[in-house]
C-alpha cells in the first residue's frame, strides 16, 4: 500500500505525462493549476500533422470551441472538445480534448468559449477570449 501511494504521489508531483518525440506541447490559457476546466493546453504532433487541444481537469462537458486554418492548403475546421481522456494526475478529473486534423504547414488556430466559473473572494473570468496562434505543424 505504501508503494502504491508513493507511486501516485510521484505521478502527481510530475504533473504531466511524457511527451513523445516529434510532439511540441504548450499552454494556451491559464498556466498553473488554477481551477478545474480553466487550463487549456495544445500538443502539436509533427509526425501525424495534427494539433490536440486539451482542456484540463473538467468533469462536465466542455463548452470550448477550437477553430483552425492551414495557410498552405486552405483546409479549415471548427470543433468542440468532445473526447474525455484520463488526466495525467490519477487523482484528478478527466481532461476534454479534440484532435485537429490540420495537415502539415503553417496553421492558425484559436480556442475560445466559456469555462466553469469560479466563486470565492477573488473571482476569475469564466471565458477564454479568442486569441489566434500561429504554429508550424
Amino acid at each position: 500500500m505504501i508503494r502504491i501511494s508513493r507511486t501516485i504521489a510521484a505521478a502527481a508531483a510530475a504533473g504531466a505525462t511524457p511527451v513523445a518525440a516529434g510532439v511540441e506541447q504548450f499552454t494556451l490559457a491559464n498556466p498553473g493549476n488554477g481551477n478545474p476546466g480553466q487550463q487549456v493546453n495544445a500538443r502539436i504532433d509533427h509526425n501525424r500533422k495534427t494539433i490536440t487541444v486539451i482542456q484540463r481537469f473538467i468533469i462536465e462537458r466542455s463548452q470550448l470551441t477550437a477553430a483552425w486554418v492551414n495557410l498552405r492548403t486552405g483546409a479549415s475546421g471548427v470543433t468542440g472538445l468532445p473526447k474525455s481522456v484520463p488526466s495525467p494526475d490519477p487523482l484528478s478529473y478527466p481532461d476534454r480534448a479534440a484532435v485537429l486534423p490540420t495537415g502539415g504547414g503553417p496553421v492558425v488556430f484559436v480556442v475560445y468559449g466559456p469555462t466553469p466559473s469560479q466563486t470565492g473572494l477573488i473571482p476569475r473570468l469564466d471565458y477564454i477570449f479568442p486569441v489566434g496562434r500561429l504554429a508550424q505543424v
Side-chain angles (χ1 to χ4, degrees):
M1 182 66 171
I2 292 172
R3 182 179 295 167
I4 293 171
S5 61
R6 284 184 187 162
T7 303
I8 291 172
T17 55
V19 178
V23 175
E24 178 184 350
Q25 180 172 287
F26 52 91
T27 300
L28 294 172
N30 302 322
N33 295 333
N35 287 325
Q38 294 198 352
Q39 182 179 353
V40 181
N41 297 98
R43 290 185 182 150
I44 300 173
D45 189 330
H46 297 285
N47 297 330
R48 292 191 173 114
K49 309 292 188 220
T50 62
I51 298 175
T52 303
V53 177
I54 307 161
Q55 185 176 16
R56 297 290 183 186
F57 317 121
I58 180 169
I59 198 163
E60 62 263 18
R61 294 177 63 107
S62 175
Q63 295 183 42
L64 294 181
T65 299
W68 60 274
V69 175
N70 185 314
L71 299 178
R72 179 183 297 157
T73 66
S76 63
V78 177
T79 184
L81 280 62
K83 187 176 178 184
S84 179
V85 295
S87 167
D89 178 353
L91 302 177
S92 190
Y93 296 127
D95 295 337
R96 299 295 174 160
V99 177
L100 312 179
T102 61
V107 174
V108 175
F109 70 103
V110 64
V111 176
Y112 59 93
T115 63
S117 60
Q118 171 190 353
T119 57
L121 296 175
I122 305 173
R124 287 188 175 176
L125 291 175
D126 60 351
Y127 196 89
I128 295 175
F129 294 99
V131 175
R133 181 154 190 142
L134 177 64
Q136 184 64 38
V137 180

